[in-house]
Amino acid sequence: MNKQSFDLGWEYSEATEMMAGWSAQWQPVDLPHDAMISKPRSASNPSGGAGAYFPGGVANYRKKLHVPEEWRGRSVQLEFEGVYMNAEVSVNNQLLRLQPYGYTSFVVDIAPYLNYGQENDVLVTANNTAQPNSRWYTGTGIYRHVWLRTGGSLHIQPWGVFVTTPVVDPTASVVHVSTELASPSGPVDGAVLRTTVLDPAGSPMAWVETPLRTLCVQQTLLLKKARLWSVEEPNLYTLLSEVLVNGGVADTERTPFGIRSIAIDPQNGFRLNGIPMKLKGGCIHHDHGLLGAASYDRAEERKVELLRSAGFNALRSAHNPPAPALLDACDRLGMLVINETFDCWRIGKSPNDYHVYFEDWWQRDTAALVKRDRNHPSVIMWSIGNEILEGLGAIDGATWCKRQADYVRSLDNTRFVTSAIPFNFLEMQATGDFSLMFKTPPVPEDPQEDSWGILTSDFSQPLDVVGYNYMPQRYEVDRTRFPNRVIAGTETWPHMAYTFWKETERLPHVIGDFVWTALDYLGEAGIGAVNLEGQLGFGAPYPYHLASCGDFDICGFKRPQSYYRDLLWRVRTAPFIAVLDPQHFGKLVAFSPWGWEPVIDNWTFPGEEGKPTQVDIYAVDDEVEVLINGVSLGRKPAGPAYHNKVTFDVTYEPGVIEAVGYTAGRETGRTRLVTAARPASLRLTADRTMLNAAYGDIAFVTVEVVDADGVLVQHGEPAISLEVTGAAQLIAVGAANPLSEELYVNSERKAYHGRLLAVVRTTGNAGEITIEAQSEGLPTAQIQIRAG
């Protein structure tokens, strides 16, 4: 079908009664749009810390659609990638579709309700008033793309093309294509389905034509000299599907795909194209930090780029279907994906979450996910749930697990099915006893009598891969108890990264490790927060609104745990210096295993001269030496025997601190931190200097406070104002301060650890873009990029 963007030219209102008329106050808006992120946060908002204290609400969108007379008799549909939540879609005051789940893509057939040759009124309402309805920040509104799909009366169904590669061989691969079509009168005499495989340059490699005697067509093509898709070489092809009627093209569909094979077993683990590999994974939520839930293609792509830069080769879309643009980026850049459906089934975790709709909607929502995403080579597993409470004792928990796993396989039997099993979370939350995190669940002689029934064969039997959340103690135990079981660490603690990863490396039946989380996120406030009074708890009170558990913070800046993981995965080999602020030395530092010590890569602490502090060195070397201003503090053994982390007690002296790694007596790497002088200027750096002039491309601009030598000045929180002129506009400014009450949709923000992030969006015109930053006492700084 002809698929064109329907993102531009909407109007937006927050009025609660819309169907009676269009007299509310409307303002222009283009999509994607998150109506929640611009709102002030408050401790009184019922979303609570789970929702980052943002308010819910109703978001209404309207748009005029002119429909030419020649469209009469054709297929006309609207495809919504995501509307949060309880979406209602109306055309010309006729309610056509309800969609409760805010993460499911859905298609609305609007052809029968159109006025041809006239303007038509499209109205979409998103109702996110029932709070709380999630354990994390959701956003509100049409936060993903909308598409207008038009085609002939005989047309290919949306998500109706399914490409598989039953034979994967570089010399000759077999491509099988199943195509579902629709026609009000059934197959059309003389109609033909022509299917062509195009190489990356757009040249035909193979094609086949099949007369349409049925509306479900099976075709097979032989592809010689195929280049396989892998994380190192993510080669993509395009399948061009054309419906021919009387020699003319009545409908087309383009489907990117990759040629690759996947396999698992307990003896050899996971294999991609026959090559064993461990999944270096991270869990991610759908939000984009300061952008909220608004799903810009570049924001999705940047997520994948950040993960790849830190050595990740896999991600888990926790705990809902991701944006199509994220999967497109994973396909292009080489990132494997666990694609997840739900955070709960019939037993909820929040009063108004998906459990309210599950029994009526699970099958439709599962079908939408699988059919939409089953051509992505990056997707290797379907997850049917996260920490499902039915598995903890519900009589029919195993039945529901099998029902969903079987249904997924009926839609796609080429990928694995998994579900993430919880640890002692409920008991820990009820008792406040965080030591339960580290206790091995009891192991009776009879596996069927396991008090952790969710780990037994009844619930787990339908799964190809059993996801273990925070249970490295059971990896080895369950290898003996369930010798045919394949395990993935679907959630693991960052502060126990060494233990989780080494067990994953050691055991062939454990195929990967997915840290919670790879990227920090809004909501679930303070699960990784640090308490300096020795009090350990789950979460932190307002105004704390970030989880504070990501390898990257919400701006995409690396946190110390990411540098630690770099060494674990050998992304880097030089030591890393992590310094405790001297004012925190001697305090009772406490944090959950989702957190990390309150250290930073900084050697500038005005007013703390001569005071003791602690320096952690992350290193894989045999020994590490620390020097301050050239004076050695001695060497200490390091490396795997010390979980790649050693601690030095030091006295803070301005100047230079160095860490030197030694292996077999020879220096192997050296890292240094330099004390910053007073702030001298602002430094602006854009992630890209050339943007697409079409509306909606975005650039991420880092603003840093630096001294005269360009050293980052991390102390203090100077206010920085920004102005954008030219072919773009400023849409968000943020920093990773979890306690800030500043708005993300603003033109001013206080720096945090010496920096902040701004996001600019193209307006649809070509030309220069100037980003200007100002801060009191510092010269104005500018950077120019271009839209073209």
Side-chain angles (χ1 to χ4, degrees), residues 97 189 466 481 520 603 720 737:
R97 176 67 183 255
D189 290 340
V466 184
R481 302 178 69 227
D520 202 11
W603 193 241
I720 300 174
N737 185 350

Side-chain angles (χ1 to χ4, degrees), residues 21 42 141 202 218 223 258 262 294 315 406 499 593 660 686 708 749:
S42 170
Q218 309 297 321
L223 208 60
I262 54 176
L315 64 83
D406 288 348
T499 297
V660 184
R749 185 82 181 206

Side-chain angles (χ1 to χ4, degrees), residues 690-695 725-728 761-770 785-788:
M690 177 61 76
L691 307 185
N692 190 321
Y695 170 85
T725 56
R761 179 183 64 201
T762 54
T763 57
N765 302 307
E768 296 293 331
I769 302 165
T770 300
I785 59 177
R786 183 172 178 80

